[in-house]
Amino acid sequence: MNEHRLPEPYGLHLDRTRPLSCTFEGVRVQGYAGDTLMSALLSTGQHLVSRSFKYHRPRGPITMAGLDANTYVQNGTEPNALADRILLAEGLVANAQNVSGSLKGDRDRWIQHVSKFLPVGFYYKAFYKPKGIWGFWEKIIRAKAGLGKVDQSTPHSYHDKAYLFADVTVIGGGPAGLSAALEAAEAGCEVVLVDDQPLLGGSLNSGRDSETGGGDKRVTEGERLRKALAEQPKVTILTDARCTGWFSDNWLSIVCGRRLYKLRAGQVVLATGALEQPMVFRNNDLPGIMTGTAVQRCLRLWAVKPGRRAIVATCNAQGYAAALDLADAGTEVAAIVDLNPEPYDCPERRAAQARGLRILPGHTVWEARADGSKNRLGSATLRGLNAAGEADGAEERIECDVLAVSIGFTPLAQLLCHAGGRLIYNEALAGLKVDHVPEGAFVAGAVNGAYDLDTVLAEGRHAGWAAAQAAGFKDRKSPGKPQKTAERVNHPWPIFPHPEGKDFVDIDEDQTVADIHNAIADGFEHLELMKRYTTVGMGPSQGRTSALNAVRITARANGGSPAGYTVTTQRPPFVPESFGHLAGRAFDPERLTAMHERHLELGAQMMPAGLWWRPGYYGPERERAEAIRAEAEAVRRNVGLIDVSTLGGIDVRGPDAREFMQRLYTFNYLKQPVGKSRYLLLCEETGTISDDGVGCCFADDHFYVTATTGGADGVYRSMLRWNAEWNLDVDIANVTAAYAGVNIAGPNSRKVLETLESDLDFSAEGFPYLAVREGTLEGIPVRAMRVGFVGELGFELHCPAGQGEALWDLLMKAGAAQGIRPFGVEAQRLLRLEKGHIIIGQDTDGLTTPDEASMAWAVGRKKPFFLGQRAILVREREGTDRKLTGFTLPMRAPLPEECNLVIRDGEIAGRVTSASQAVGVEAIIGLAYVHPKDAEPGTTFKIKLSNGSMVEATAAAIPFYDPENKRQEL
Amino acid sequence: MKIMTCPLNGPRNIQEFQCGGPVKAMPGAQDSDTAWADYVFLDENPRGFVREWWCHLPSSYWFIAERDTATDAILKTYPASELFAPEKTVGGSQ
Amino acid sequence: MANSVSPNDFKRRSFVAKRLVEAGARFEEVAGAAAAMAFSDDGAEEKAALEGCGLADLSPLPRFGIKGRGGPEWLAGQGVAIPETVNTALRQEDGSLAARLSPSEILVLGDLRGGERCGALYTSWARARMDDPSAARGYALRRDDSHAWFRLTGANAPEVFAKLCAVDLRPHRFPALSVAQTSVARSSAIVIREDLAADVVGYHLLIDSASARYLWDCLIDAMAEFDGKAVGLRILRQQNAG
């Protein structure tokens, strides 16, 4: 066994029967199952694991709890993985980040020596002049500063999401959390317990018991609670899981493995504990300097001796406990530096004294120095403190390779703050205290300021009971509220600014005491402003190890006390979430028509239309233009078939159906004959066109209404919304998905239909233009309507969706002799443009009135009311500065694109909404918004093309093709 | 994520709902253009109590919700029929 | 077992027919369409899946909907037992199921044999409307076509739902014959719990027919970690009878 590894019973997490090896920075590292990468490195005596963000200073672990950013490494393809969380696995390959050359001899470590030329705000001040110069500096700075690198060749991995539910959720599996979970479970609640470590227990696993001296009582209690919880059938335990956010109505995000859980909790008990804080002195970031609790975790969880010779700096029982633990493990404790002038009185201090450990009351660490390798703590200079707490006393330098710091804690209440809780600096406690707990939340244990084990356990039980009560499980008797609660463990000013700096407040961001002072001198005296100016608290650990000291320094620099200061706003995520978790298994619904497979078999290029997929055209992409043209020509000269299933379909049925139509749409429907269809134009109350379609009157009390593909759901909802107010006697049913539909169009369409067995008479007399009929086609029930969207003889046939594919097959087969050709959305757009039919949303925008779109004909003037009526009238009266007009260009002119601007007297007058080379006429045709004076057919106006050149277009009457509409009425 | 209680379907994630804007009384045909412009274009957007239309999307069910915009609390939800008694009238058609 | 029929032999086709064919389904005619009866000769594998996690396509089976003033009353007059509470369902004597979606809307799911009931309801509603258009009897809805119909069964089905749906559908929170109109994999859906047998939890899932393939794929993906499989109508019928 190597000198850094301790024998059993040290190493609660380790399975010593399973040795493992991994590679860090190209060097093989041995460890055991249960080790983290960091504990395995420590077991080789190596603390150095990273280089700092800005100055490339050597860094080692501080918390050993995955809560500081010093342990960020590149784990295979995963950047920014925490070495004290990565479980060792055979063959794992990890590397240091932000290093040029090697971790041990980083070539960029010179940067720290010019740090005095890199004051706070340096980038803002130095690199913005002359204008544009930032682009030059940015590349250099980004290469030198930063964290992990994204490996763009990373293979995709499967991440997913799941919902979880609980009456009570407990976050944190330490003594408070375990007893809260057990109490709530015993009250009958469904409980989810979330802990970020692989083994439940928290400080029960790593702490020292103040009475027995070892960890015995804690270990026993941990075992008892784990066993009791395991026997509870309604408890779900998530270990190695991180709660990253606490949102409205107790909605929690939890990252566990490759899954993101979204947990809805009735009540939440927060038992996340507290995090020990660094002390501020010169070179307080050297590898080997860590918190007292981190030292204890090293010893008890992973059986790692963090060093040979230690100094402990403290002001509380925790520090003395860490010193005793070090001594027990065989580390020489050279000195215990107690910041209190009178040493802190507690059983641990008395035990230390009895063991003859050297205690220096009223002293501090003034400066740390590196050893010969420059990468590890080598010695510490101590100084006596004066009555004002300033380090101006006698100096003593002591060699050591580990420095344990226990000068106070900060509650890990970030999640509570997400939910509306508040942390406020409490002078009596000399630290941050949970000040407000929102409804549905409970706090227990160290996060609530309790450190004594019995108090923590009692708080946990009480919080679990109270949460169960609030969740409606009221039968259980209260376990009693603990008398003692918060105790003072913090030193009010563990900050010893050094004239030569490197006294880091924010270790993530390499920010020192002077940086905060400079920010305040620059006028950023408010905590939120100071944070943004200096970036203190903005690094990956989000202020967990810096906020407390930053509050103290800021308050003092502002000439006041930190009392009443709150921390800067806490936002999710509490710890980083990977993109995989956020992006993994996203749901993107898509809708397919009944004929979808047929389109694919015919080689269609599918295009999205809202959630739907529709055939754009049939044929290879390289033949796009030819395919569209050929499809359009087939409709003009012969017969084509298009899938129109995506059109919205709404049945409006009931005695008030006509009245409902009358109020909703702009036209007149009271006298629309049964068996006929009529154009529908829907406006918003603002008078803006919002949708269009066709209303088929199948009976006095039955209208079958179509809506645009993208507008159907909105129109349906709008109908329901208005009728919830009007209470007309109608039923409104969205039958969009219930009906598949095709449009068979072209001069030969009738011929094709007439070959089929049907009770419908498709002749010109039997089925005139705009007629609608219900019948069957070869046994398939259809709603048939003669429509003219593409401007040829055509029938739209809507049938039950389950038979849509059969209908398509039937028509394709029946039309084969005629040479029927399927056509897609692109050809349809061209054909309708030739007829001057607008597409809502393409030829209209969020302001278009019927008047502007030249659709005043579709507005019923004498109706008492319809949606948008008054606004239409007012807007008409006020006039408009644009009109939608048809235009033409010669066939060989350049083709304008949609949204090319119409220019009049050097000003923008409008834009092109549709443009295409026509098939039915010899010209380029289009629709555009122009100045009303330019809308008169024959007037010319200018279009600015995408390449900047101008082309002259001529306003034209629509329809461009078959202006007398003879062909559709054949 | 907030929970809203649908009068038809019970408590659901707010994701299942869409807000349809404030409940407003539509002016009549006799009312001025100004009154109509106010109705169509201007919403109060108050800090505090609002009464709004909400739709539970999976069931397409419209109802009324009363909220406090200052605290983001949903105070009450109830069927639209409690506000709009079944009758065949509408502001503009009178 | 040879395939006696294929989906294309019929005018009515399931919305996921292609997926069923790809999964090796054997079809039989049920109610004028090809229903996936089984995915293997040996029923054992399917039985295991059914009890762990099985997904069946019931889309070919008839169903019926009615909505609007007087609809539930008319349906009651046709001998359908109507659930009193909204968002609950009632089993009918012939094995069909009536679910109440709102005070004025009922959905009827036909039995596993593909019985006549739903078809008969549609015919008699249409005839009644022809005879007396003015009476209040609600309005029939084409539920055969507006919605695809899946059945998700087995001990892991609640966990599969927990990957797709934010409503707590676990058996102890969502009692038998409860109905939830909610969002499943971001698509609107109706979920009805009706257990397949005393010890086999089961859900009906009705979703927009155009989204059927999307949701089928989502379900198959979510089921994978539980070794879930597509199962046929045959095994469902056996379980239901037993």
Side-chain angles (χ1 to χ4, degrees):
Chain A
M1 182 159 305
N2 79 52
E3 57 166 322
H4 306 286
R5 269 288 188 210
L6 296 161
E8 285 176 295
Y10 285 109
L12 198 57
H13 285 343
L14 298 187
D15 177 356
R16 300 196 200 220
T17 64
R18 288 171 57 208
L20 296 171
S21 72
C22 69
T23 310
F24 180 68
E25 286 281 285
V27 177
R28 225 167 108 94
V29 180
Q30 297 282 351
Y32 297 108
D35 257 322
T36 62
L37 174 62
M38 193 67 244
S39 66
L41 282 172
L42 289 173
S43 80
T44 68
Q46 181 177 341
H47 279 244
L48 175 69
V49 67
S50 70
R51 288 274 167 179
S52 74
F53 176 74
K54 190 169 157 193
Y55 297 145
H56 292 254
R57 288 172 63 88
R59 292 286 164 82
I62 303 172
T63 63
M64 284 304 282
L67 290 171
D68 62 273
N70 279 4
T71 62
Y72 271 148
V73 296
Q74 182 88 23
N75 179 18
T77 58
E78 183 191 4
N80 304 332
L82 292 157
D84 46 352
R85 282 210 190 275
I86 300 168
L87 285 175
L88 206 61
E90 187 63 42
L92 183 145
V93 177
N95 284 289
Q97 301 183 154
N98 194 31
V99 161
S100 25
S102 73
L103 174 61
K104 285 181 179 158
D106 186 348
R107 284 194 298 271
D108 288 335
R109 63 186 185 275
W110 57 269
I111 295 173
Q112 58 179 304
H113 302 299
V114 296
S115 65
K116 73 175 61 140
F117 306 109
L118 297 170
V120 65
F122 176 65
Y123 299 123
Y124 312 129
K125 290 169 181 166
F127 296 116
Y128 77 104
K129 278 182 187 169
K131 195 175 171 209
I133 198 69
W134 171 245
F136 167 78
W137 285 110
E138 186 183 14
K139 282 190 209 82
I140 297 169
I141 292 163
R142 291 221 186 276
K144 295 291 175 207
L147 297 168
K149 287 210 162 50
V150 174
D151 179 351
Q152 297 196 12
S153 65
T154 305
H156 279 276
S157 58
Y158 187 94
H159 288 71
D160 70 358
K161 295 171 186 156
Y163 297 95
L164 272 179
F165 311 92
D167 298 315
V168 172
T169 291
V170 180
I171 308 169
L178 289 174
S179 47
L182 185 60
E183 187 68 29
E186 284 176 348
C189 294
E190 213 169 19
V191 175
V192 173
L193 172 62
V194 184
D195 190 56
D196 67 346
Q197 294 298 316
L199 180 69
L200 290 178
S203 68
L204 293 173
N205 298 340
S206 58
R208 180 184 181 90
D209 186 59
S210 71
E211 288 148 42
T212 61
D216 303 353
K217 185 180 157 195
R218 286 177 180 263
V219 170
T220 317
E221 185 63 10
E223 275 166 7
R224 183 188 75 80
L225 286 167
R226 278 195 293 269
K227 187 157 170 284
L229 274 175
E231 284 164 5
Q232 289 288 340
K234 289 166 81 177
V235 174
T236 303
I237 295 169
L238 299 176
T239 51
D240 211 356
R242 280 160 280 287
C243 181
T244 56
W246 185 345
F247 303 89
S248 292
D249 292 333
N250 289 345
W251 177 253
L252 306 168
S253 56
I254 297 163
V255 171
C256 183
R258 291 202 166 161
R259 183 164 283 174
L260 174 70
Y261 286 107
K262 296 182 259 187
L263 192 162
R264 175 72 73 187
Q267 310 292 319
V268 179
V269 177
L270 189 78
T272 37
L275 186 66
E276 231 174 0
Q277 296 294 299
M279 184 157 97
V280 179
F281 55 90
R282 179 166 164 80
N283 296 330
N284 61 341
D285 62 332
L286 276 171
I289 301 177
M290 59 206 316
T291 64
T293 41
V295 163
Q296 291 180 312
R297 276 190 272 270
C298 287
L299 298 170
R300 290 211 170 77
L301 302 183
W302 297 292
V304 193
K305 223 164 93 175
R308 281 183 284 264
R309 194 157 199 264
I311 289 178
V312 177
T314 188
C315 67
N316 54 29
Q318 170 58 36
Y320 286 96
L324 290 166
D325 280 343
L326 280 165
D328 286 350
T331 295
E332 182 192 345
V333 178
I336 300 174
V337 181
D338 194 327
L339 270 56
N340 302 300
E342 289 295 317
Y344 186 83
D345 188 43
C346 58
E348 289 85 349
R349 199 266 299 161
R350 291 193 289 274
Q353 212 153 27
R355 281 180 73 156
L357 300 181
R358 185 178 175 216
I359 299 173
L360 293 167
H363 275 70
T364 186
V365 177
W366 171 245
E367 182 182 353
R369 291 195 193 175
D371 66 2
S373 75
K374 309 263 187 220
N375 290 332
R376 176 75 186 266
L377 175 69
S379 66
T381 305
L382 313 181
R383 268 193 187 184
L385 297 172
N386 66 16
E390 290 156 356
D392 64 353
E395 255 186 43
E396 180 184 355
R397 186 163 156 195
I398 297 177
E399 286 197 5
C400 60
D401 60 355
V402 61
L403 171 53
V405 176
S406 286
I407 46 74
F409 292 81
T410 281
L412 283 169
Q414 286 82 352
L415 289 166
L416 190 74
C417 294
H418 298 173
R422 226 180 9 243
L423 273 182
I424 286 189
Y425 193 94
N426 179 298
E427 207 147 34
L429 297 175
L432 296 164
K433 182 176 184 295
V434 171
D435 175 71
H436 168 71
V437 179
E439 207 186 316
F442 303 83
V443 289
V447 69
N448 197 33
Y451 294 92
D452 166 70
L453 181 59
D454 291 329
T455 309
V456 167
L457 290 167
E459 276 206 359
R461 278 192 297 273
H462 188 263
W465 172 82
Q469 289 276 311
F473 296 81
K474 297 186 183 285
D475 294 344
R476 203 170 161 82
K477 220 174 116 260
S478 168
K481 212 178 160 112
Q483 293 298 310
K484 201 166 99 184
T485 49
E487 54 185 302
R488 171 157 166 181
V489 293
N490 285 9
H491 191 276
W493 189 254
I495 296 157
F496 304 97
H498 195 285
E500 288 174 54
K502 303 287 180 324
D503 40 10
F504 293 99
V505 179
D506 187 319
I507 290 173
D508 293 11
E509 297 279 304
D510 282 346
Q511 295 296 314
T512 64
V513 178
D515 290 319
I516 295 182
H517 285 155
N518 289 340
I520 290 166
D522 283 355
F524 299 92
E525 71 268 18
H526 189 280
L527 200 61
E528 292 279 1
L529 298 178
M530 184 283 290
K531 163 180 163 174
R532 280 158 183 79
Y533 193 57
T534 59
T535 71
V536 164
M538 288 169 68
S541 41
Q542 289 286 291
R544 285 189 292 273
T545 51
S546 63
L548 177 60
N549 285 329
V551 163
R552 290 168 172 152
I553 295 166
T554 307
R556 188 173 282 195
N558 283 328
S561 129
Y565 265 72
T566 182
V567 290
T568 53
T569 308
Q570 303 291 318
R571 294 184 182 85
F574 168 51
V575 287
E577 291 163 336
S578 72
F579 283 118
H581 283 111
L582 300 179
R585 200 59 186 100
F587 293 110
D588 297 309
E590 53 178 27
R591 305 179 81 186
L592 307 180
T593 73
M595 300 79 151
H596 186 78
E597 279 312 310
R598 295 295 182 261
H599 302 319
L600 297 184
E601 288 159 15
L602 289 162
Q605 301 296 329
M606 303 303 285
M607 55 188 266
L611 295 181
W612 294 94
W613 287 96
R614 300 194 67 184
Y617 56 93
Y618 295 83
E621 269 181 88
R622 61 178 188 281
E623 288 162 26
R624 180 178 186 276
E626 296 88 328
I628 295 167
R629 212 174 164 79
E631 287 170 21
E633 278 171 356
V635 175
R636 288 276 175 255
R637 312 228 158 88
N638 183 14
V639 55
L641 187 67
I642 183 170
D643 178 357
V644 297
S645 307
T646 63
L647 278 183
I650 298 167
D651 272 330
V652 176
R653 294 182 285 188
D656 290 338
R658 282 183 189 276
E659 173 64 19
F660 182 77
M661 296 292 292
Q662 193 75 350
R663 290 187 191 183
L664 201 75
Y665 290 100
T666 59
F667 227 168
N668 271 307
Y669 303 95
L670 291 182
K671 290 182 183 146
Q672 180 180 346
V674 170
K676 280 278 188 183
S677 67
R678 184 163 285 183
Y679 181 70
L680 301 173
L681 189 65
L682 183 68
C683 284
E684 295 169 2
E685 288 188 285
T686 57
T688 294
I689 296 172
S690 67
D691 205 70
D692 72 348
V694 170
C696 306
C697 184
F698 281 115
D700 271 323
D701 62 353
H702 181 194
F703 279 80
Y704 176 51
V705 173
T706 70
T708 59
T709 296
D713 289 342
V715 171
Y716 172 62
R717 267 203 297 283
S718 171
M719 286 179 168
L720 293 173
R721 154 71 182 79
W722 282 109
N723 208 42
E725 197 166 317
W726 295 340
N727 281 300
L728 293 174
D729 189 0
V730 284
D731 182 73
I732 303 154
N734 186 352
V735 295
T736 301
Y739 285 93
V742 292
N743 182 10
I744 180 166
N748 289 325
S749 56
R750 180 178 286 133
K751 240 183 251 172
V752 174
L753 290 174
E754 281 175 346
T755 64
L756 294 166
E757 170 82 34
S758 179
D759 56 357
L760 294 171
D761 173 3
F762 290 106
S763 70
E765 305 73 38
F767 207 143
Y769 184 59
L770 297 183
V772 296
R773 302 276 185 270
E774 285 184 290
T776 59
L777 206 59
E778 299 278 345
I780 299 174
V782 290
R783 289 177 170 178
M785 45 212 97
R786 267 198 70 181
V787 291
F789 192 51
V790 296
E792 299 291 342
L793 170 67
F795 299 84
E796 233 174 76
L797 304 166
H798 295 194
C799 78
Q803 301 177 56
E805 193 180 74
L807 179 69
W808 178 271
D809 291 348
L810 191 69
L811 293 169
M812 286 298 285
K813 196 170 156 215
Q818 280 297 336
I820 195 168
R821 180 157 187 155
F823 67 105
V825 176
E826 298 285 6
Q828 189 192 37
R829 281 189 182 162
L830 167 59
L831 294 165
R832 68 86 206 180
L833 180 59
E834 293 184 343
K835 291 300 293 178
H837 295 307
I838 63 166
I839 294 178
I840 307 293
Q842 176 173 333
D843 302 306
T844 68
D845 56 35
L847 292 171
T848 307
T849 59
D851 182 35
E852 286 174 351
S854 304
M855 299 189 76
W857 57 269
V859 176
R861 300 284 154 182
K862 290 178 186 157
K863 288 166 69 169
F865 171 80
F866 61 88
L867 283 185
Q869 180 186 44
R870 186 62 171 264
I872 289 171
L873 293 175
V874 173
R875 288 174 70 182
E876 261 182 21
R877 210 186 306 133
E878 302 223 323
T880 176
D881 58 0
R882 61 173 192 169
K883 276 266 185 188
L884 189 67
T885 183
F887 69 83
T888 58
L889 290 169
M891 204 62 178
R892 283 203 202 92
L895 180 65
E897 289 176 64
E898 286 158 24
C899 282
N900 280 168
L901 298 175
V902 174
I903 305 292
R904 189 176 205 267
D905 302 332
E907 301 285 332
I908 297 169
R911 67 186 166 85
V912 174
T913 61
S914 295
S916 211
Q917 283 195 337
V919 171
V921 292
E922 274 289 304
I924 286 174
I925 57 169
L927 295 171
Y929 284 99
V930 298
H931 190 278
K933 283 186 184 151
D934 293 344
E936 195 58 35
T939 316
T940 59
F941 58 86
K942 286 197 170 65
I943 296 170
K944 188 175 180 181
L945 300 172
S946 297
N947 65 9
S949 66
M950 303 291 256
V951 61
E952 193 167 78
T954 308
I958 50 173
F960 302 100
Y961 171 75
D962 183 25
E964 281 140 32
N965 292 329
K966 284 184 177 153
R967 296 185 62 86
Q968 66 203 33
E969 292 175 23
L970 279 172
Chain B
M1 189 182 311
K2 280 198 87 61
I3 295 174
M4 181 173 255
T5 300
C6 169
L8 184 70
N9 295 287
R12 291 295 171 79
N13 286 349
I14 198 85
Q15 227 170 14
E16 291 195 11
F17 299 89
Q18 189 180 60
C19 181
V23 175
K24 299 194 280 191
M26 191 188 283
Q30 72 287 351
D31 286 311
S32 68
D33 286 353
T34 316
W36 273 93
D38 272 2
Y39 164 76
V40 171
F41 294 106
L42 302 177
D43 282 349
E44 289 293 325
N45 192 23
R47 183 179 192 278
F49 180 85
V50 287
R51 183 180 288 127
E52 293 169 329
W53 285 97
W54 282 77
C55 182
H56 180 247
L57 298 173
S59 62
S60 297
Y61 176 74
W62 283 98
F63 59 95
I64 309 294
E66 296 178 356
R67 301 191 304 122
D68 186 329
T69 58
T71 61
D72 198 26
I74 297 163
L75 307 169
K76 197 175 158 197
T77 57
Y78 49 91
S81 57
E82 288 185 21
L83 277 192
F84 299 96
E87 56 177 31
K88 294 186 187 179
T89 52
V90 57
S93 67
Q94 284 160 355
Chain C
M1 188 168 83
N3 249 348
S4 50
V5 298
S6 90
N8 282 351
D9 297 344
F10 303 90
K11 292 200 175 91
R12 277 188 64 224
R13 292 164 203 173
S14 164
F15 307 102
V16 290
K18 185 179 159 70
R19 288 289 184 265
L20 301 172
V21 170
E22 285 165 353
R26 287 87 198 273
F27 295 92
E28 273 179 32
E29 181 181 351
V30 180
M37 293 306 289
F39 290 84
S40 62
D41 291 331
D42 176 14
E45 202 182 316
E46 279 180 68
K47 185 166 185 297
L50 191 80
E51 286 168 6
C53 188
L55 176 65
D57 173 41
L58 304 188
S59 298
L61 298 177
R63 45 208 176 276
F64 174 77
I66 196 156
K67 182 160 90 80
R69 192 161 59 85
E73 293 77 10
W74 177 83
L75 200 58
Q78 302 295 305
V80 176
I82 307 293
E84 277 197 19
T85 315
V86 170
N87 284 323
T88 64
L90 261 188
R91 258 191 217 105
Q92 309 293 313
E93 276 177 14
D94 66 341
S96 57
L97 190 78
R100 187 159 205 159
L101 303 180
S102 84
S104 64
E105 181 173 2
I106 309 288
L107 167 68
V108 182
L109 299 177
D111 67 287
L112 287 179
R113 304 265 145 209
E116 299 289 315
R117 182 166 210 165
C118 291
L121 285 171
Y122 205 89
T123 316
S124 70
W125 181 85
R127 191 174 301 130
R129 179 168 158 80
M130 203 101 80
D131 293 347
D132 175 11
S134 64
R137 64 174 72 76
Y139 300 91
L141 298 171
R142 258 182 205 286
R143 291 303 189 196
D144 287 349
D145 296 287
S146 66
H147 284 70
W149 178 9
F150 299 157
R151 190 94 163 92
L152 190 65
T153 69
N156 296 312
E159 275 191 83
V160 172
F161 267 123
K163 292 168 76 176
L164 306 172
C165 177
V167 175
D168 191 350
L169 298 172
R170 295 173 303 162
H172 61 288
R173 297 285 172 154
F174 190 68
L177 302 178
S178 299
V179 177
Q181 301 176 65
T182 181
S183 167
V184 175
R186 289 184 62 214
S187 278
S188 289
I190 302 165
V191 182
I192 305 169
R193 177 167 163 219
E194 187 194 17
D195 292 349
L196 195 59
D199 53 351
V200 183
V201 67
Y203 303 86
H204 298 279
L205 180 57
L206 289 114
I207 33 108
D208 158 41
S209 57
S211 307
R213 188 190 298 180
Y214 159 75
L215 210 69
W216 179 271
D217 291 346
C218 285
L219 285 161
I220 292 289
D221 173 70
M223 287 160 61
E225 69 171 298
F226 306 103
D227 297 321
K229 283 191 174 60
V231 298
L233 195 52
R234 186 181 64 186
I235 194 82
L236 287 180
R237 282 178 178 170
Q238 283 169 10
Q239 288 289 304
N240 212 31

